Amino acid sequence: MAMVDWRGTPLIAIEDPKLMIAKPASLTAATGMDALTQAVEAYVSTAANPITEAGAKKAISMIANG
């Protein structure tokens, strides 16, 4: 389900893979698995629609090829 309420979305997101370099590999792996789980869940959801399915497929592809 897409978030449509401004109170539920961040104002800013910092996405820098270099921040993970000093972290344990297990944390990076767990974070990747969480992202994959969220993407698969979005794709198979009964509330999925063509837009959420497209985003989920792209996320799964990016994680698999990442």
Side-chain angles (χ1 to χ4, degrees):
M1 179 179 296
M3 295 183 68
V4 294
D5 190 332
W6 64 270
R7 291 170 285 208
T9 57
L11 296 176
I12 188 171
I14 299 171
E15 301 176 12
D16 185 355
K18 292 178 183 174
L19 294 173
M20 297 303 292
I21 291 173
K23 305 298 181 211
S26 60
L27 177 62
T28 302
T31 302
M33 287 303 298
D34 180 55
L36 180 60
T37 300
Q38 295 291 333
V40 170
E41 182 181 13
Y43 183 70
V44 301
S45 172
T46 57
N49 61 56
I51 295 172
T52 60
E53 286 180 356
K57 287 169 106 174
K58 180 66 174 179
I60 292 166
S61 173
M62 291 174 70
I63 293 166
N65 296 320

